[in-house]
């Protein structure tokens, strides 16, 4: 579950892992930003009340619902403007979580159960590590769906027009052109899809698994000392 969102910017957060693999390069010209929804026809509608709020207030409601959820799964892809790519799949059940991050030719697997961490870089066995371990801290931001969502929506600035399918876009960026978070406007205000873009590339993520609270198990094989 989320704590206070970190202040590190979008580019630094995602390119840190790409830099480790040699996939990152200096940003080129900005990639196209997601198209902003026309707000001229916006009208408040019934539902969970999200569409009655400001962008910042709606974001807080969404984050609180994610934080209260028993579980969440996220599948995410960052594509650099230079062609580099980073992919991650994460799942949280309660306060435990597991993630697989693929950056270039490098695959890292992370499992956190309580304060005990298990880290596997490439082939071989998992290492047992505690919170504060340097290698674990390097990859933790990419394994935490709650924190990534909080960090990458910190500049929420408005809402689009409610759709007939029961969703609405939370608009990101000071000019509402940096990205969108698709959120349900009926029932629980939970996110479905996040898209962001800046000069370094694009980030896309989908969210699901809100009721899959099956426990996260200790991984195998474990190395010596575990």
């Amino acid at each position: 579950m989320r704590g206070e969102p970190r202040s590190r910017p979008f580019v630094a957060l995602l390119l840190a892992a790409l830099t480790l693999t040699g996939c990152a390069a200096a940003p080129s010209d900005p990639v196209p930003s997601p198209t902003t929804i026309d707000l001229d026809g916006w009208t408040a509608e019934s539902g969970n009340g999200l569409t009655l709020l400001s962008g910042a207030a709606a974001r807080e409601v969404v984050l609180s619902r994610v934080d209260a959820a028993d579980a969440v799964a996220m599948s995410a892809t960052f594509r650099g403007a230079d062609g580099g790519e980073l992919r991650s799949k994460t799942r949280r059940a309660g306060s435990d979580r597991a993630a697989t991050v693929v950056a270039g030719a490098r695959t890292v697997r992370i499992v956190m159960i309580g304060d005990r961490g298990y880290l596997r870089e490439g082939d071989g066995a998992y290492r047992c590590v505690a919170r504060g371990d340097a290698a674990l801290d390097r990859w933790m931001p990419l394994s935490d769906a709650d924190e990534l969502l909080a960090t990458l929506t910190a500049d929420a600035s408005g809402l689009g027009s409610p759709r007939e399918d029961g969703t609405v876009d939370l608009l990101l960026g000071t000019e509402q052109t940096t990205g969108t978070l698709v959120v349900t406007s009926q029932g629980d205000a939970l996110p479905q899809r996040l898209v962001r873009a800046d000069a370094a590339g694009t980030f896309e993520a989908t969210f699901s698994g809100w009721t899959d609270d099956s426990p996260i198990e200790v991984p195998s094989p474990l190395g010596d000392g575990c």
Side-chain angles (χ1 to χ4, degrees):
M1 298 185 183
R2 77 182 170 107
E4 290 299 318
R6 298 187 181 183
S7 59
R8 68 174 75 183
F10 167 55
V11 174
L13 178 68
L14 294 169
L15 291 192
L18 288 176
T19 301
L20 294 173
T21 67
C23 294
S28 58
D29 294 335
V31 297
S33 296
T35 303
T36 303
I37 295 175
D38 182 6
L39 297 180
D40 291 340
W42 182 89
T43 57
E45 293 185 1
S46 60
N48 57 23
L50 200 68
T51 58
L52 302 176
L53 304 175
S54 68
R59 170 183 177 268
E60 286 303 313
V61 171
V62 172
L63 294 181
S64 69
R65 298 311 303 153
V66 172
D67 191 46
D70 292 334
V72 59
M74 180 185 75
S75 180
T77 301
F78 171 77
R79 293 183 177 88
D82 66 334
E85 183 175 280
L86 182 150
R87 292 177 287 115
S88 68
K89 289 185 179 293
T90 73
R91 188 174 79 86
R92 171 176 64 75
S95 59
D96 300 334
R97 62 182 183 268
T100 299
V101 180
V102 179
R106 189 173 188 178
T107 299
V108 178
R109 295 175 176 85
I110 305 147
V111 177
M112 287 296 306
I113 300 176
D115 289 329
R116 190 67 161 173
Y118 304 89
L119 182 66
R120 181 180 182 181
E121 300 185 68
D123 298 328
Y126 282 85
R127 294 192 297 114
C128 294
V129 293
R131 290 186 185 274
D133 176 86
L136 184 63
D137 285 349
R138 180 186 305 160
W139 297 102
M140 282 281 276
L142 295 168
S143 71
D144 191 332
D146 300 60
E147 181 178 329
L148 268 177
L149 184 64
T151 300
L152 299 181
T153 60
D155 57 354
S157 54
L159 288 165
S161 301
R163 299 188 185 89
E164 293 183 359
D165 66 357
T167 64
V168 65
D169 282 353
L170 181 64
L171 306 178
L172 308 176
T174 54
E175 296 183 1
Q176 302 182 350
T177 59
T178 303
T180 58
L181 178 68
V182 179
V183 184
T184 53
S185 57
Q186 305 287 330
D188 271 348
L190 292 170
Q192 294 184 351
R193 183 169 181 260
L194 170 66
V195 177
R196 282 195 70 102
D198 73 1
T202 60
F203 179 86
E204 299 182 40
T206 57
F207 302 89
S208 60
W210 304 106
T211 60
D212 179 15
D213 59 354
S214 56
I216 291 174
E217 306 288 348
V218 174
S220 64
L222 296 179
D224 294 339
C226 284

